[in-house]
Amino acid sequence: MTAARRYPARFIVLAVLLVLLLLVVAPLLVVALNAVKSPADYAGNGPLSIPESLHLSGIVDFWNRVDFGRKLLNSFVTSAAVAVLAVVLSVLNAYALGIGRVRGRVWFLVFFLVANLLPQEVLVYPLYYLSKGLHLYDSLFSIVIIFTVIQSAFGTYLLSSVYAEFPTELLDAAEVDGAGRWRTLWRVVVPVSRPTLAVLFTFFFIWTWNEFFLPLVFLISNANQTVPVALGVLQGDRQMDATTTSASALIGILPAMLFFLIFQRTLTRGVTAGAIK
Amino acid sequence: MSRPRQGGRRAGYGVYLIPGVLASLAVIVVPLVMTVGISFTRWPGIGTPDWVGLDNYTRLLHDVNFWASFGHILLLIVAMAVVPTLLGLVLAAVLFDYLAKVFGARWASVFRSGFYLPQVLPVAVTGIVWGWILHPSYGALNRILETIGLSSLTRNWLGDPDYALYSVMAIMIWVQLGYPIVMFMSGLQRIDPELYEAADLDGAGWWQRFRRITVYLIRPEFYVVLVTTTIAALKIFGPIFVLTRGGPSNATLVPSYFAYKNFFEKAQVGYGSAISTVLTVFIVVLAFVFLRLQTRDQEPHR
């Protein structure tokens, strides 16, 4: 184990890792490279050449053709509404289960865990049928309700185990001060657990943003589609050429990357919070 | 599990469960029961369902497409759960226990973020990215192969029944790899560095430390990753819908897409319900088996 033997080894490890990283990132780089090429440039020079000039009309055309601004707004409104509502619902459930330790709490937890595991296919047709009966079909509202419940099942499960460890002294102090359950919840429990709630909010927002199956079934009219549905449905459209396809892919990648950069710190902390129990 | 607190605290909390329970009843319990009920009927989605007993289930047993879809799932479990977990375990250990120590923690976190990147993309976007790269005529992969003189290797990657499922498997490895890396690295942060130092003093090599310390101590994360990725493989829908729609000639058919087709394309809601009921039973049983294994594994060490 001398330094001489270790020295080249460390760079071999680094090189292998760099090659692997390149393999993972390359598809996204190729997309970005070709999204700003003209079709003639792509046909002539292939996918790996540097663009001859910055050709943004593929992106602009695609944006206008699918009314992408509208889809972004739909996705954003839905994801934000679900994230807020699902955090609130998780808090209420976890308050009863983690801190209140109501009777049968283990069964409630098993129920919420199973609810989170269920494949959406087993819920989809009745939800479709019921929402038509209630005139909620093809509305963002229906998607918000459904995902609030689905996401909060996970939130309840995670938050209950966090609240089970909640410092008893804080609860006792609130009680001595004469705070009722409702006040204790909003004045003590929620502020103290704010970091975990931020993590849940982030998860719910991104998960809802990325959801495909139920929005595909529920949001059929063009004006109601979310970003993944708009892009996923268009994929069947064989009219598109190479540069338009990569332009559409890039448009789909950018918001996701943006959230990744914004939420990165919360997310890495969150994965730790999720991994503990 | 239930560590009793001083009495009295419990009273008055039940009311906080009411909204959650009512909402879950409406969105999860009632639809679940309805689907199971519909699976015993013949129903095109309108009119009154015809009770047919177990007909849909006996039909399933004789349906080659049903068996094929579950066969494909086995390969997808390899691609989405087994390979990423094992590869992720090695990569997380290398990043945490080697790269971070030799080159600094910053490098390790750059690699971690890079590997995690595909995880943040919506599946529909992943589908478009790869659908384009693998496209037979204008796709980037075939163009690159031609340019470097390997024209004989060009294929219709997603359109040839012999290759489509393997192409999907490769894409899913790409998608899934980052998740175990992030989970395992956060698990490794729990480990007391003194353990590694002690092993070093005892003359343990990297491989021994990996086997005896790393693998041993992140078993909780290992189980979580294996369960969640296996269940994700059983549920896979988005990538299949966007990349292949189950084709060519059902070469990439999976249960969830098979159910979707019966619901919304063939108007065979009873049959689709039977498929999704079977899938659900599989997932719930699997989850309980994993949970059992995990608790049994942890008990003697408590």
Side-chain angles (χ1 to χ4, degrees), chain A residues 144-159:
Chain A
V144 170
I145 297 175
I146 294 169
F147 282 121
T148 296
V149 177
I150 292 178
Q151 315 287 36
S152 71
F154 172 82
T156 302
Y157 179 71
L158 180 78
L159 208 52

Side-chain angles (χ1 to χ4, degrees), chain A residues 6 9-11 13-14 17-18 20-21 23-25 27-28 30-31 34 42-48 89 92-93 95-103 105-106 108-130 145-146 149-150 153 163-166 168 171-172 175 181-182 185 206 209-210 212-213 216-217 227-229 231-233 235-236 238 240-243 245-246 248-249 252-253 256-257 260 264 267-268 271-272 274-277, chain B residues 1-6 8-14 16-17 19-21 23-32 34-36 38 43-47 91 94-95 98-99 102-103 107 109-125 127-133 135 138-141 143-144 147 174 177 182-183 186 189-190 205 220-221 224 227 231 235 237-238 241-243 245 256-257 259-260 263-264 269 273 276-277 279-280 283-284 287-288 291 302:
Chain A
R6 273 167 125 173
R10 63 170 63 176
F11 287 101
V13 171
L14 188 64
L17 284 173
L18 279 172
L20 268 174
L21 184 67
L23 277 175
V24 170
V25 182
L28 303 179
V30 174
V31 163
N34 292 288
Y42 184 83
N45 301 319
L48 290 182
L89 202 56
L92 293 177
N93 286 339
Y95 189 48
L97 298 174
I99 289 177
R101 297 181 166 262
V102 297
R103 211 179 296 274
R105 57 182 287 273
V106 176
F108 279 111
L109 285 176
V110 168
F111 167 76
F112 284 115
L113 186 64
V114 171
N116 195 247
L117 291 176
L118 289 180
Q120 292 172 0
E121 290 76 29
V122 83
L123 309 175
V124 66
Y125 205 88
L127 287 175
Y128 166 82
Y129 191 77
L130 293 171
I145 297 175
I146 294 169
V149 177
I150 292 178
Y163 281 0
E165 313 284 314
F166 198 87
T168 328
L171 299 172
D172 292 340
E175 208 170 336
R181 304 245 183 276
W182 184 249
L185 172 61
I206 293 183
W209 185 280
N210 290 351
F212 183 66
F213 180 66
L216 175 76
V217 172
V227 170
V229 177
L231 294 173
V233 171
Q235 182 60 3
R238 295 294 167 205
M240 291 207 286
D241 56 68
T243 50
T245 313
S246 52
S248 72
I253 291 171
M257 296 274 273
F260 179 58
Q264 202 188 10
L267 269 177
T268 38
V271 173
T272 329
I276 289 166
K277 258 259 140 101
Chain B
M1 262 188 122
S2 51
R3 174 162 38 101
R5 282 224 180 102
Q6 54 272 63
R9 172 145 288 148
R10 194 184 260 173
Y13 283 98
Y16 290 93
L17 268 182
V21 167
S24 297
L25 274 178
V27 174
I28 290 168
V29 177
V30 169
L32 179 65
M34 280 174 78
T35 295
V36 175
I38 295 167
W43 190 41
I46 44 164
L91 282 170
V94 169
L95 291 181
Y98 190 85
L99 196 79
V102 178
F103 292 92
W107 275 85
S109 74
V110 167
F111 276 102
R112 182 182 59 188
S113 304
F115 288 129
Y116 193 71
L117 214 51
Q119 279 274 306
V120 302
L121 303 185
V123 281
V125 174
I128 293 179
V129 168
W130 283 100
W132 168 61
I133 292 177
H135 194 277
Y138 65 61
L141 182 59
R143 291 290 306 264
I144 293 169
T147 323
W174 179 81
L177 184 61
V182 167
M183 289 290 279
S186 79
Q189 258 141 29
R190 275 199 325 249
E221 282 80 8
V224 170
V227 182
I231 289 172
K235 292 188 196 177
F237 176 85
F241 181 90
V242 180
L243 286 169
R245 308 239 162 152
S256 64
Y257 187 72
Y260 173 86
F263 285 143
F264 297 107
V269 182
S273 298
S276 47
T277 303
L279 180 64
T280 305
I283 289 174
V284 173
F288 276 106
L291 220 60
R302 280 257 163 90

Side-chain angles (χ1 to χ4, degrees), chain A residues 1 6, chain B residues 97 101 194-206 209 213:
Chain A
M1 273 299 168
R6 273 167 125 173
Chain B
D97 181 35
K101 281 171 191 164
E194 281 178 21
L195 264 178
Y196 281 110
E197 282 160 27
D200 251 346
L201 287 178
D202 288 347
W206 192 87
R209 289 200 323 226
I213 304 177

